[in-house]
Amino acid sequence: MDIKKLEAWYELNHRKLLFRETTDPYKIWISEIMLQQTQVETVLPFFKSFIKKYPTVYQLAKTDQETLKKDVEGLGYYRRFKYMLIAAQQIVDVHKGFPKTHKDVLSLPGVGRYTAGAIMSIAYNKPYSALDGNVIRVLSRYLHIDDDFRIEKNKKKLDLINQEFIKQARPSIYTQSLMELGALICRPKNPKCEICPLSNHC
């Protein structure tokens, strides 16, 4: 993969989203939880008002489940926010601040392998793979892998491949590059292959 070309494309073409213009692990965590099964356009106003009300994890940890549910009313899939508050309290009480290791981030309630990888790579610039739907689509098309990624062993295989790629990259830019490429160019239908930075070897 021409990683430098991919990263250069991202730096010129990515959307200036609030949660992509920061390296604050707290804000990246909030955005990733909000983006689960939810469109970016839907999340943006909620994220903006949420961060205004809860600028740090310490303010979030002090709220209660009922208040938090009202704050995110309209986003749906509310169980994630129940875990979010429990995780915020764990971050404050156990870690005394947002954790900095993959193991500790992964231990937070509601945080799986993808979210931990996204936080570690985007916030801390550490080489941890983060496979979401967009990244899976880009990599499987690029590598011509026709596996069913609902099957865990297939997902793990792709995760290992992505882990090798990210070790050769600038992790923060690389992870966001693949996400953005999948969202803007390598779309599920009608991909814009003619302007894709990876089209030469895809």
Side-chain angles (χ1 to χ4, degrees):
M1 180 186 285
D2 192 338
I3 290 169
K4 285 186 178 175
K5 195 173 181 183
L6 172 67
E7 291 175 341
W9 170 85
Y10 174 80
E11 291 184 311
L12 283 173
N13 297 285
H14 72 277
R15 294 166 294 176
K16 303 293 190 284
L17 304 173
L18 277 175
F19 45 80
R20 291 287 177 252
E21 299 296 302
T22 181
T23 56
D24 182 343
Y26 166 70
K27 291 175 182 172
I28 291 163
W29 168 58
I30 296 297
S31 73
E32 292 299 341
I33 300 299
M34 286 188 168
L35 286 164
Q36 289 171 6
Q37 300 181 28
T38 312
Q39 296 289 324
V40 169
E41 293 73 21
T42 305
V43 165
L44 282 170
F46 281 95
F47 178 79
K48 191 174 182 180
S49 59
F50 193 95
I51 292 301
K52 191 173 181 181
K53 182 171 181 179
Y54 306 111
T56 73
V57 70
Y58 299 97
Q59 280 94 357
L60 177 58
K62 288 175 189 170
T63 195
D64 57 79
Q65 291 287 358
E66 211 48 50
T67 304
L68 185 60
K69 191 173 179 183
K70 285 176 186 168
D71 290 331
V72 295
E73 203 166 4
L75 272 179
Y77 179 38
Y78 294 111
R79 193 170 60 169
R80 56 184 158 164
F81 299 108
K82 181 182 175 183
Y83 288 129
M84 178 192 277
L85 181 54
I86 297 167
Q89 290 161 348
Q90 184 174 309
I91 289 166
V92 171
D93 296 338
V94 178
H95 301 289
K96 312 301 180 192
F98 207 94
K100 291 181 169 63
T101 69
H102 184 258
K103 182 184 174 185
D104 286 343
V105 172
L106 197 54
S107 76
L108 299 174
V111 171
R113 205 164 67 221
Y114 160 73
T115 304
I119 292 166
M120 292 306 297
S121 59
I122 298 170
Y124 297 124
N125 201 35
K126 300 289 184 187
Y128 286 91
S129 171
L131 285 187
D132 70 352
N134 283 327
V135 175
I136 288 170
R137 187 169 59 257
V138 171
L139 290 176
S140 61
R141 284 175 174 174
Y142 180 78
L143 299 165
H144 197 63
I145 299 172
D146 200 22
D147 292 342
D148 182 349
F149 291 103
R150 291 170 296 183
I151 298 170
E152 192 59 26
K153 68 172 185 178
N154 294 337
K155 205 170 176 180
K156 280 185 177 175
K157 187 169 77 175
L158 194 63
D159 202 41
L160 288 171
I161 293 169
N162 195 40
Q163 185 63 38
E164 289 308 306
F165 282 142
I166 201 169
K167 284 178 185 174
Q168 306 164 47
R170 289 180 286 160
S172 180
I173 301 297
Y174 173 81
T175 291
Q176 295 178 88
S177 299
L178 288 180
M179 291 174 176
E180 199 71 340
L181 193 69
L184 300 180
I185 305 295
C186 194
R187 300 177 303 187
K189 293 180 180 176
N190 305 314
K192 301 177 181 178
C193 301
E194 68 281 359
I195 56 169
C196 176
L198 300 180
S199 61
N200 285 353
H201 301 100
C202 185

